[in-house]
Amino acid sequence: ELTINSRDIIDALSLIAKENTFIASEIAGALENRIFTCDVRYCLPAMYLMDALIKNVGAPYKDIFRPKLCRIMVETYKRVDDVLLKSRLCHLLTTWPQHYGSEFVADIC
């Protein structure tokens, strides 16, 4: 389980996702479910995995997450009550314009 922010674990899970793009919708759905249902302390590592799939794997994950990204970010931000976690989520958001465009990211804000 992804319970810590570990680059090695995120890279390993990203590789598995890259090798299994034929079930990308199921992988993305499982990750989205994880983000929404995990203990709030574990949201950030799951968000970082989603970020890695979008940025490092790209298609088809980038396209799958695009229509869901606003809801995922907003709902996750609402669940988090720790100031440091909120700031890390905000920082993550600032890295997405190069992948989705500044207008898309502005809509989330």
Side-chain angles (χ1 to χ4, degrees):
E1 263 187 36
L2 186 56
T3 57
I4 60 171
N5 182 22
S6 165
R7 175 98 182 181
D8 290 339
I9 294 171
I10 291 171
D11 286 349
L13 291 172
S14 295
L15 181 59
I16 291 168
K18 183 176 183 176
E19 293 172 345
N20 291 281
T21 56
F22 63 96
I23 57 168
S25 291
E26 291 83 356
I27 292 170
L31 180 54
E32 181 181 2
N33 185 57
R34 169 78 178 161
I35 291 168
F36 288 139
T37 62
C38 70
D39 184 296
V40 71
R41 295 172 296 167
Y42 308 132
C43 287
L44 192 60
M47 291 291 288
Y48 284 156
L49 176 57
M50 182 184 69
D51 182 67
L53 295 181
I54 291 167
K55 293 176 182 172
N56 302 329
V57 178
Y61 297 99
K62 183 177 174 182
D63 297 326
I64 291 170
F65 282 117
R66 182 182 180 89
K68 304 173 181 195
L69 203 54
C70 180
R71 184 174 71 88
I72 291 171
M73 177 57 85
V74 170
E75 293 302 316
T76 303
Y77 190 85
K78 286 179 186 177
R79 286 183 64 209
V80 172
D81 57 1
D82 180 86
V83 175
L84 181 59
L85 287 178
K86 282 187 181 281
S87 70
R88 289 182 177 162
L89 286 170
C90 288
H91 174 73
L92 186 63
L93 182 62
T94 67
T95 68
W96 289 340
Q98 65 190 27
H99 300 280
Y100 287 118
S102 56
E103 297 83 21
F104 178 80
V105 174
D107 289 343
I108 294 175
C109 301

